Amino acid sequence: MDFSELRETIEEAELVDAHAHNIVAANSTFPFINGFSEAHGDALSLAPHSLSFKRNLKDISELYGCEKSLSGVEEFRRVHGLQLISLTCFKATKISAILIDDGLTLDKMHDIEWHKAFAPFVGRILRIERLAETILDKEFPGRSSWTLDTFTANFITVVGEIFGLKSIAAYRSGLEINTNVSRREAEEGLAEVLQAAKPVRITNKNFIDYIFTRSLEVAQQFDLPMQIHTGFGDKDLDMRLSNPLHLRTVLEDKRFLECRIVLLHASYPFSREASYLASVYSQVYLDIGLAVPKLSVHGMISSVKELLELAPTKKVMFSTDGYAFPETFYLGAKKAREVIFSVLRDACVDGDLTLHEAVEAAKDIFSENAVRFYKIKLPVKSFGSTNSISPIPAKIKITAQSDVSLVRVLWVDASGQHRCRVVPAARFQDVVEKNGVGLTFATMGMTSFTDGPADETNLTGTGEIRLMPDLLTRRRIPWQTREDMVLADMHLRPGEPWEYCPREALRRVSKLLKEEFDLVMNAGFENEFFLLKSVLREGKEEWMPFDSTPYSSTSAYDAASPIFQEVVSTMHSLNIPVEQLHAEAGKGQFELALGHATCTHAADNLIFTREVIRAIARKHGLLATFMPKYSLEDIGSGSHVHLSLWQDGKNVFMGSSRHGMSKVGEEFMAGVLHHLPAILAFTAPLPNSYDRIQPNTWSGAYQCWGKENREAPLRTACPPGISDGYVSNFEIKSFDGCANPHLGLAAVLAAGIDGLRRHLTLPEPVDANPSSLDAELQRLPRSLSESLGALKEDAVITELIGKKLLVAIKGIRKAEIDYYLKHKDAYKQLIHRY
């Protein structure tokens, strides 16, 4: 067989190095020729007369054209300097992208930015244990010590722009991860860590398992892969605990089935075990770095062959595991090309692959698998590119945020309005990430009709908070060039949440649901909105409906299709799932339904969704409004929300107790029904909201519930795919687009918790139009005044949401009532605020 095509493909391949570490500003060469740095483990170091040492020395000497001796190589490095040495090595490797785990702390190591002089694309991998240790090494501001809550809050908000997470749990307590570690166990583990001397080194198994599980949640939420160290390593690693088979509990946990996981270092000497896992678990991938080039030639070839015994070639990735010295990148790439050629050639000879399949496998292993897995956008083609690295390359800024000029820091106030401060990117990175943006207390007391604090909110222009960006929510703005946006938390000072913060309020009540009942509430929003076009009448601008077509009209969608093509594409780029969209019953009205997520993430997604729809509509010369009743003569717009309860990755709202739901599902929903009049003060926050909540408009005007009854404010749903007789969620229809989603969901959660605590039960469902039972059913509040009155009497919501925040909300609602009572047509201006 002629293998020239295979050889040429491999030799010319531009590589994606999916796992490496920082280069250091040093001239010593013995560790890289030896095969391991001290940081990688003395136990694995090779003697100067070992086969690996001699092989590496020969290869480096030939690259440099110097004397084949250690002293000859060291002299060459000393004379030419690190910059030229690095250029030489990286030009020879043809590496087009590097993902760097900078959690391996080396003396005098260069930052990630420095490496961009040698590869067109450089991205960061975040080592989770090192991140945790860095956080705990700092003194907690204003507190005597860290708590589990303050640690977690900081842990999930300092990630920044990354392309994956990495765990070295194998080094600390092993890979037998308990994904259901209890809060008490985690707190005790944290206490043990804090009692030890600094710098912090986390070894407590419960706390490591807690960090690992939280990281998987983050990875799944933001569609990030997780690298896991498996197999051999430093001398402090117990290889009995680094066998990847220990990960089966993690791999079978239903919460993390969609989380992409890569087993590093070929899992050597457990390569067959790793191959098996990749063959039976769709989320498992493999990386050959460290095994290649650290093992003997026979060991490298055997290890890669074992990986490919069961694992598909589309699940195996190349990396150099380069560290400290540029020569390690060169040796890793050189040996990988030789080993992969040998393995694929033998597979062709044995009849396992055709030559064409081997060529495609080479492309996949060296580049394409990693591009897909890490979702890298390469500035040059992976294969067949005529570009090469310039001998003196300029630093190229390629990472997702490197060319950003401005960052929008977003928050939603208590009246449901989206607001932002805009900060130059350099200042955001240098100052705002750590210290936030100053903001007056008054902003959380503002109403829908004026930008000043309402009376009776106890909030004035005296006092200042900090808008602290939640870096996990940082997103590139697709409809603007060189701009990012990020959601903010409200802190009195960095690390100390303000009690008026809506996002913190939802977190606080969510935490209560988890601690008391081990439950998580998921939410999925339906967004109804009007598209309006500007017309001039008698020299005045008026906003009229985009069209006048009926419900689910094909012509309505056809006319708006260019807008929605862009909206859906933008949503996808923001990692927000769209389930469906259609024309609604109002003139110019449409609906876009989102996939469900944990309630905190669902609320964040709703904010971004509103931003997207309004921005794309504006781009097309239209105005999108979410206000509840744009026209008093037409149908209204809601922001219906579907809710379910989850435990250990399973929907536990469903059940066979009664009505197709579980006991906890019924109790939770009964609590929501009981408190619904008060909840409306959060979910229907304007007088205009109650123009929408009317009988016979599918908006839910009576205090009742029904099975698939769209006239009921609470509706249990059995979507396609759910077994007959069961319900997967319930819908709240009396939730509109002027509501702050975090506050609205916090009120719903508080009500549900009360239902669980008191074991409330639901009345019989209403299977008719509730308006036909007017004499039997209680009417929900007909006005904001009535819902505000119900809120004032609701001790449960007051207690769980917080008295001070409730005072502000009540003050704002009272001001809304008074203003719109005096200004009957003022509601027409709401299209510009919502």
Side-chain angles (χ1 to χ4, degrees), residues 53 60 92 135 144 152 168 175 189 241 247 271 341 399 435 495 499-500 554 600 652 674 745:
F53 176 89
I60 295 300
I135 291 171
S144 59
T152 303
I168 56 166
L175 295 179
L241 301 179
L247 290 168
S271 302
F341 174 77
T399 57
N435 303 304
E499 53 203 325
Y500 295 86
T554 54
T600 50
V652 295
H674 176 75
L745 290 178

Side-chain angles (χ1 to χ4, degrees), residues 12-18 90-91 93-99 115-116 118-123 318 333 337 366-368 370-371 376-383 385 387-389 396 398:
E12 297 303 317
E14 292 189 6
L15 313 181
V16 174
D17 188 352
F90 280 99
K91 183 179 179 182
T93 63
K94 299 188 182 75
I95 289 178
S96 62
I98 312 172
L99 297 180
H115 296 75
K116 294 177 184 178
F118 310 109
F121 182 97
V122 181
F318 156 80
R337 292 182 200 271
F366 281 117
S367 176
E368 304 304 330
V371 168
I376 300 170
K377 293 182 179 179
L378 292 176
V380 295
K381 294 180 180 179
S382 302
F383 284 84
S385 170
N387 295 337
S388 61
I389 299 176
I396 306 171
I398 299 297

